[in-house]
Amino acid sequence: MHKYIIRRILQFIPMLILVTIVVFGLAKAAPGDVLSGERLDPNIPAEVYEMRREALGLNDPIHIQYWNWVTTVASGDFGTSMQYSGRPVADLIASRIMNTVYLSLFALGVTLAIAIPIGIYSASRKYSLFDYGATTFAFLGLATPNFFAGLLAIYIFAFILGWFPSQGSVSAPGLSGIELFLDKLRHLVLPGFTLGLASTAMYMRYMRTEMLEVKGSDFIRTAQAKGLSNNSVLYKHTLRNALIPIITLLGLEFGTLLSGAIITERVFNYPGLGQLFLTSITNRDYPVIMAINLILAVTILVGNLLADIFYAIVDPRIRYD
Amino acid sequence: MKLKKSWLTLILALSFVLVLAACGGDENADAQEDNSSAENNDNNSNDANDGNDNNGDDNAENNDNDGNNDAADGEPVSGGTINAGMYSAPGQQFNPIFYGDAYEANILDFTHEALVTQDENLEYIPLLAKDWELNEDQTELTYYLEEDVKWHDGEPFTAEDVYFTYSSIASGEYVAAGGVRIDYVRFLEGYEEYRDGETDEFAGVEVVDDHTVIFHFAEPNVTPEFRTSFPIIPAHVFEGVSVADMVDHPASRNPGEVIGTGPFQLTDMIEGEQYILTAFEDYWQGTPHLDGITWRVIEQSIMPGMLENGELDMVAEPNGVPAADFDRVDGLDNVKTFTTQDFGYQYMGFKHHHRTAEDVEAGVINPDNWVPNEKVADVRVRQAIVYALNRQAMVDGLMNGLGSVLHAPFPEASWAYDESAFTVYEQNVEKANELLDEAGYVDVTGDGFREDPDGNEWVLNLDYPTGNEIRERTAPIIAAELGEVGIKVDVRNPREAATHFEVVEDDNTDWDLYLAGWSLATGDPDPAGIWKSDNPFNYLRWNDPHSDELIEQAVKAPEAFELDYRAEVYNEWTAYVTEQVPMVFLYSSDNIYAYNAALQNVHERPTGIYFRSHEWWLAE
């Protein structure tokens, strides 16, 4: 097992190098740079922009730019943002990453807490009114784009009912302790449910399908035949086996959550990584884009690794040695 | 971006449906809605008038408005805070000499001040300097500073701070550290020597005593107030800090540590969400009436809802209220709106010349090497093109009328703008046809499109960028209207803005017409930055000795020391430009600002509504 994990981690390295090359190449292939386009102000002489480009190293050959970037990253420094007048990228990310983590965890919590019980219940009452209701909800949830669900939620729960705040991650600076925690939680509700909506719908369907599939297998029939109680069959035998593919999906889910967060964070002006990513892309702020990409890549790779490890735990048939 | 726009439209449509649904269920709400739509119409017509007054530069009217406000609403009361909204977070650089975006400017406008500011005619009036005088040949500008000004940390403001601000911008480390505002120092004496480290003393700014400072210009300068209108930063705070380190210094970044002389101080923030300005009690023009202003970063699509339910009290620069939301916001009882001409404008450029590939490669701008573009060389053709276009219809149709047709490259509020001085083109298809016939462009093949005087096919290529929906929708309209007079236009696939401007700069040789935007100079009207033939921003590659001559003449000492003389030359230049049609001015949109109706004493200016914010107060 340990060997396997170490081997997998070593495999990360070429993967990451590849990811950086692709990301850097794409970023460079896109036209323009942080100083281009309509940001030009006629009061600022053109040569100043040329001097800025020179100072930022944007006029160096591409491989040199890549090398400079990789070496600074390798030394544990993500460089400085071009857009935010020289702020360290690490600072920018640090100030936002926790918000995204909270949001993702909240959304994931919502997803699991809703999807798994409903999926199980739907499967055990196949073609019941409840099952049809859940299916309808699932399709609606999948078909509703994130931003739309978000605005709808703002309109209903923030503007009409006034239950939850519509924007931001906290209502005022200077809160602390339990007050801060509750305030942050209140701010998480709308974006969290919005972000969790699509995956809730998806997991509900997966759960239902998996349960039905496992229920049809031989060992369940055996369990039923030897006279086990319905509950025991359902929770001990069917559920555990039905969860295995869900775990793989969860490993990938972190990446999905982060990309979904880009839009959700924007609608709710929830200052997380996604929002930073979006502004950096529109401003062509490569150091920030690349750093966030790296973080995304590592998250997805680690997510997959964790999923594989959990596999071994829930499914004793799987051995990595 | 495009994707986002279409989403927003969808959302708007849906929220509209929801509003209707909500009203249907509730009689009260119905009545309310009726009320507000009646209100709406009233407001609309009022606003249209207001806008005209302001645009029409009617001083007395403006002052009157302010006066009425005061009289009607009684004595100011102190207290209360307001929430102001912007759609994107500031980049968190709160040092004026390094700030980069309009969102930071939104905060700095309240926390920092310059020696002078502009009035409603865009002329300079005192701020931190109570008075100034120019020497005979306009090389020395002596400022007498206000004496009781305190920084937010209680230290007195002196001439040393002025020297410090300008010498920091003049420093050799400034541009490499991210600064771009050398336009404020490069005309001062000794700039190059100081920048290159040949001397430790910046000769351009001389401190006479604590409250007197002299700016020395290397050559007679006709825009000395503009060149010295940069916000002042505190010398004592940055003492011993190199310019390179200043960017990341806590006093450039952290709330509570950012020090200015303005009526409000940045005291706290939640990064990316809220920026809290607190009234500065010792403000030299008197303690602000408001206790504070909280800038909130919000999503644009829900802004009208937040204004309506009172979560938001102000939406102003840089984006204001989108034209599509204007009716809704203007219809709110608790909100006042103010529209003013945006200083950005859209135009259709002619590529008069193309640079050679070698020059592009070498980054050289040398008008002598340029290759003329014969397709648009005839002035009658260019005039015919303006006559063929119905620009007013574009404003009405594409911007709900919230904008104006542009005729000259100066803000309407500027002293350099005089509508009687130049040709105002209205759509005149007959005239367009006449001009084209006269120029020899006639349809010889009978396909409905004109050929050039030699009988060859004549197609004008039109290129435009994505990213500005109104501009995007303008392109096909232009093509259709030019088609009406027999000009064949090839509207090419739009490019993403950054690429578009790269090609504009690099002079692709098959370009004839292109769409783009510029901003009107608000500081000083000198058009050299965009219009002078050898300037890199002369994207038109218009090479006209007479225009260059006039542009130079308008800033030539000593005659140009007289504003009247300059105005006269600019009128002559504008007349020449409108006659030659180097570009087709299209339109400028309106800036629409909205603020809580309870907020009193807001000065509505062409430059915005932040003027004298310490006088704002909240009525009960």
Side-chain angles (χ1 to χ4, degrees):
Chain A
M1 190 72 171
H2 295 293
K3 261 193 209 145
Y4 172 77
I5 293 174
I6 290 168
R7 209 166 61 227
R8 281 289 300 268
I9 290 176
L10 286 178
Q11 279 170 2
F12 279 10
I13 296 168
M15 284 278 247
L16 282 179
I17 293 177
L18 206 68
V19 166
T20 61
I21 293 178
V22 170
V23 167
F24 193 84
L26 282 176
K28 281 290 159 188
D33 59 37
V34 72
L35 299 171
S36 66
E38 288 183 291
R39 288 162 50 76
L40 297 179
D41 172 348
N43 283 331
I44 295 171
E47 65 260 29
V48 172
Y49 287 105
E50 222 17 76
M51 287 154 81
R52 291 281 303 132
R53 285 207 169 94
E54 198 59 53
L56 289 171
L58 291 171
N59 289 339
D60 295 343
I62 256 194
H63 59 278
I64 304 231
Q65 291 188 43
Y66 177 73
W67 183 247
N68 285 342
W69 180 75
V70 166
T71 44
T72 45
V73 169
S75 67
D77 176 9
F78 281 118
T80 53
S81 155
M82 296 177 176
Q83 158 76 0
Y84 294 139
S85 42
R87 279 193 79 186
V89 172
D91 270 16
L92 282 170
I93 289 177
S95 69
R96 288 165 173 88
I97 196 163
M98 284 324 283
N99 276 337
T100 297
V101 170
Y102 296 145
L103 183 61
S104 303
L105 287 180
F106 191 94
L108 197 64
V110 167
T111 302
L112 296 181
I114 298 178
I116 292 183
I118 293 187
I120 296 171
Y121 196 77
S122 278
S124 60
R125 308 262 190 297
K126 203 166 67 160
Y127 304 132
S128 66
L129 196 62
F130 180 88
D131 186 26
Y132 281 122
T135 306
T136 313
F137 169 78
F139 284 124
L140 264 180
L142 278 173
T144 313
N146 235 336
F147 71 92
F148 184 77
L151 287 168
L152 204 65
I154 289 175
Y155 186 72
I156 297 172
F157 297 104
F159 284 176
I160 297 186
L161 299 171
W163 291 351
F164 298 105
S166 60
Q167 302 273 283
S169 70
V170 64
S171 48
L175 295 176
S176 60
I178 188 80
E179 219 181 342
L180 177 69
F181 176 76
L182 289 177
D183 189 65
K184 286 208 152 203
L185 206 59
R186 259 166 55 82
H187 280 81
L188 269 176
V189 173
L190 292 186
F193 271 90
T194 306
L195 183 57
L197 179 70
S199 38
T200 303
M202 196 177 75
Y203 278 87
M204 209 187 272
R205 297 296 298 162
Y206 278 133
M207 199 61 217
R208 178 180 177 275
T209 318
E210 284 303 325
M211 287 294 281
L212 288 176
E213 204 174 301
V214 176
K215 254 169 114 175
S217 55
D218 292 343
F219 66 90
I220 297 295
R221 206 169 327 126
T222 313
Q224 278 166 338
K226 72 180 181 188
L228 285 179
S229 73
N230 256 344
N231 274 349
S232 173
V233 172
L234 186 65
Y235 293 109
K236 235 173 133 184
H237 298 272
T238 320
L239 180 60
R240 281 191 64 166
N241 285 292
L243 278 176
I244 295 173
I246 303 283
I247 288 169
T248 327
L249 288 170
L250 279 179
L252 296 168
E253 183 65 16
F254 278 101
T256 320
L257 277 175
L258 275 177
S259 50
I262 293 176
I263 292 163
T264 313
E265 283 177 6
R266 190 181 165 108
V267 172
F268 290 94
N269 190 51
Y270 191 86
L273 275 192
Q275 210 197 28
L276 180 66
F277 197 42
L278 201 63
T279 39
S280 304
I281 288 173
T282 37
N283 293 322
R284 296 183 163 64
D285 194 352
Y286 306 127
V288 181
I289 302 177
M290 308 266 291
I292 297 181
N293 257 309
L294 268 188
I295 291 174
L296 273 174
V298 170
T299 318
I300 292 172
L301 289 175
V302 170
N304 277 348
L305 177 63
L306 286 180
D308 284 349
I309 294 170
F310 273 111
Y311 242 53
I313 295 171
V314 291
D315 189 348
R317 286 169 302 180
I318 294 171
R319 288 276 175 273
Y320 290 123
D321 298 316
Chain B
M1 276 327 267
K2 174 121 195 286
L3 206 61
K4 207 197 96 208
K5 280 273 163 58
S6 52
W7 287 352
L8 290 182
T9 330
L10 225 164
I11 293 148
L12 280 173
L14 190 101
S15 24
F16 184 60
V17 170
L18 280 174
V19 169
L20 286 184
C23 291
D26 185 341
E27 268 178 41
N28 269 339
D30 253 349
Q32 195 93 12
E33 189 72 8
D34 281 343
N35 250 340
S36 57
S37 60
E39 240 347 276
N40 195 348
N41 289 335
D42 279 345
N43 280 348
N44 263 345
S45 50
N46 278 342
D47 267 29
N49 287 334
D50 276 356
N52 283 340
D53 284 343
N54 287 315
N55 287 344
D57 192 11
D58 196 335
N59 234 325
E61 192 69 32
N62 237 342
N63 287 340
D64 248 340
N65 278 346
D66 284 347
N68 278 344
N69 251 352
D70 293 349
D73 301 305
E75 277 303 296
V77 265
S78 291
T81 59
I82 59 166
N83 289 308
M86 50 184 156
Y87 307 135
S88 195
Q92 221 194 331
Q93 173 53 257
F94 301 119
N95 187 334
I97 71 172
F98 286 115
Y99 87 92
D101 57 56
Y103 309 103
E104 288 160 347
N106 258 345
I107 287 160
L108 296 175
D109 276 344
F110 292 90
T111 57
H112 288 74
E113 291 174 317
L115 295 177
V116 291
T117 184
Q118 283 174 299
D119 68 3
E120 52 269 44
N121 301 326
L122 307 181
E123 283 176 38
Y124 285 92
I125 53 171
L127 192 60
L128 286 178
K130 59 185 172 193
D131 198 9
W132 61 87
E133 62 193 36
L134 265 167
N135 71 344
E136 199 58 21
D137 63 354
Q138 305 235 144
T139 52
E140 272 180 37
L141 179 60
T142 310
Y143 277 111
Y144 303 99
L145 309 181
E146 288 283 349
E147 279 163 29
D148 298 319
V149 179
K150 282 202 169 65
W151 292 100
H152 292 152
D153 59 3
E155 295 289 319
F157 157 78
T158 69
E160 282 299 335
D161 297 312
V162 180
Y163 174 81
F164 179 76
T165 303
Y166 283 85
S167 62
S168 299
I169 300 178
S171 154
E173 297 171 352
Y174 176 69
V175 172
V180 292
R181 299 193 172 75
I182 57 168
D183 241 25
Y184 290 94
V185 292
R186 64 189 181 131
F187 298 100
L188 294 173
E189 199 177 300
Y191 165 60
E192 267 137 45
E193 290 85 343
Y194 185 75
R195 181 192 64 193
D196 300 338
E198 289 162 26
T199 161
D200 288 341
E201 198 62 27
F202 182 33
V205 184
E206 180 195 343
V207 176
V208 178
D209 60 44
D210 269 2
H211 300 105
T212 315
V213 61
I214 303 177
F215 284 84
H216 296 279
F217 290 90
E219 278 169 25
N221 195 294
V222 294
T223 59
E225 292 94 348
F226 166 62
R227 301 289 173 202
T228 52
S229 64
F230 198 79
I232 304 299
I233 57 172
H236 67 276
V237 171
F238 294 104
E239 205 172 4
V241 180
S242 75
V243 172
D245 291 339
M246 219 186 268
V247 185
D248 244 346
H249 192 272
S252 297
R253 298 252 193 237
N254 299 344
E257 298 183 58
V258 176
I259 303 293
T261 58
F264 292 89
Q265 186 184 2
L266 177 67
T267 49
D268 210 344
M269 69 164 183
I270 306 168
E271 193 181 346
E273 297 183 49
Q274 289 184 17
Y275 296 83
I276 291 160
L277 301 175
T278 308
F280 175 40
E281 274 182 32
D282 292 331
Y283 181 56
W284 61 281
Q285 298 194 77
T287 308
H289 298 308
L290 289 179
D291 291 338
I293 299 169
T294 301
W295 277 104
R296 296 187 58 186
V297 182
I298 53 153
E299 163 60 28
Q300 178 176 319
S301 49
I302 68 164
M303 174 273 300
M306 294 182 80
L307 275 176
E308 183 171 13
N309 70 13
E311 270 184 83
L312 207 59
D313 300 300
M314 177 179 283
V315 175
E317 280 153 65
N319 310 90
V321 178
D325 285 333
F326 175 76
D327 285 343
R328 163 126 193 250
V329 169
D330 195 47
L332 299 174
D333 288 339
N334 59 339
V335 171
K336 271 192 197 164
T337 54
F338 167 59
T339 51
T340 177
Q341 183 192 20
D342 184 48
F343 293 129
Y345 66 90
Q346 299 299 323
Y347 68 93
M348 178 171 73
F350 295 102
K351 275 282 181 190
H352 297 266
H353 295 82
H354 297 112
R355 280 194 294 162
T356 58
E358 297 85 65
D359 278 6
V360 172
E361 185 65 35
V364 176
I365 307 284
N366 182 357
D368 295 336
N369 296 345
W370 293 351
V371 184
N373 180 8
E374 298 299 341
K375 282 167 61 181
V376 294
D378 196 314
V379 61
R380 288 168 293 191
V381 168
R382 300 197 298 265
Q383 288 171 346
I385 287 175
V386 201
Y387 276 123
L389 299 179
N390 188 349
R391 293 173 291 170
Q392 188 58 46
M394 295 176 195
V395 171
D396 294 340
L398 299 178
M399 301 148 78
N400 302 336
L402 293 163
S404 45
V405 174
L406 193 78
H407 299 292
F410 298 118
E412 286 170 20
S414 167
W415 52 264
Y417 185 91
D418 179 1
E419 201 160 308
S420 63
F422 51 82
T423 324
V424 173
Y425 292 88
E426 305 277 351
Q427 189 189 29
N428 187 338
V429 176
E430 233 164 80
K431 188 94 196 243
N433 280 320
E434 247 168 60
L435 281 164
L436 286 168
D437 289 343
E438 202 183 299
Y441 289 80
V442 284
D443 181 11
V444 287
T445 54
D447 62 351
F449 291 110
R450 296 166 187 274
E451 277 68 45
D452 73 9
D454 300 331
N456 299 321
E457 194 185 24
W458 183 52
V459 182
L460 299 179
N461 297 320
L462 173 61
D463 287 90
Y464 66 103
T466 58
N468 176 330
E469 199 193 331
I470 294 171
R471 180 169 63 202
E472 282 174 52
R473 289 163 66 189
T474 307
I477 297 176
I478 289 175
E481 287 180 341
L482 294 184
E484 289 292 305
V485 297
I487 300 173
K488 191 165 185 178
V489 176
D490 180 12
V491 183
R492 299 198 279 193
N493 275 336
R495 288 178 180 77
E496 208 241 355
T499 333
H500 176 81
F501 285 97
E502 224 159 69
V503 191
V504 168
E505 283 174 38
D506 289 351
D507 287 293
N508 247 29
T509 50
D510 65 345
W511 276 40
D512 304 311
L513 309 172
Y514 68 93
L515 299 187
W518 267 125
S519 53
L520 297 164
T522 49
D524 185 87
D526 180 11
I530 300 174
W531 291 88
K532 205 129 163 292
S533 57
D534 57 357
N535 193 297
F537 289 156
N538 172 21
Y539 290 152
L540 303 168
R541 308 296 176 223
W542 189 42
N543 183 10
D544 190 304
H546 185 54
S547 159
D548 283 357
E549 201 178 289
L550 287 171
I551 291 173
E552 273 164 33
Q553 197 185 328
V555 291
K556 201 150 171 201
E559 298 88 344
F561 297 155
E562 294 298 322
L563 215 57
D564 289 346
Y565 170 81
R566 292 189 69 201
E568 210 173 287
V569 179
Y570 285 139
N571 284 343
E572 197 184 324
W573 179 76
T574 318
Y576 184 68
V577 165
T578 48
E579 180 209 304
Q580 289 294 316
V581 201
M583 65 161 73
V584 180
F585 302 110
L586 293 172
Y587 43 72
S588 59
S589 57
D590 282 344
N591 279 327
I592 307 164
Y593 301 142
Y595 57 92
N596 190 330
L599 188 65
Q600 306 296 320
N601 241 342
V602 176
H603 302 266
E604 300 180 343
R605 296 298 181 95
T607 43
I609 56 175
Y610 298 158
F611 187 71
R612 294 181 78 83
S613 56
H614 64 281
E615 294 178 350
W616 294 354
W617 57 280
L618 273 172
E620 286 307 307

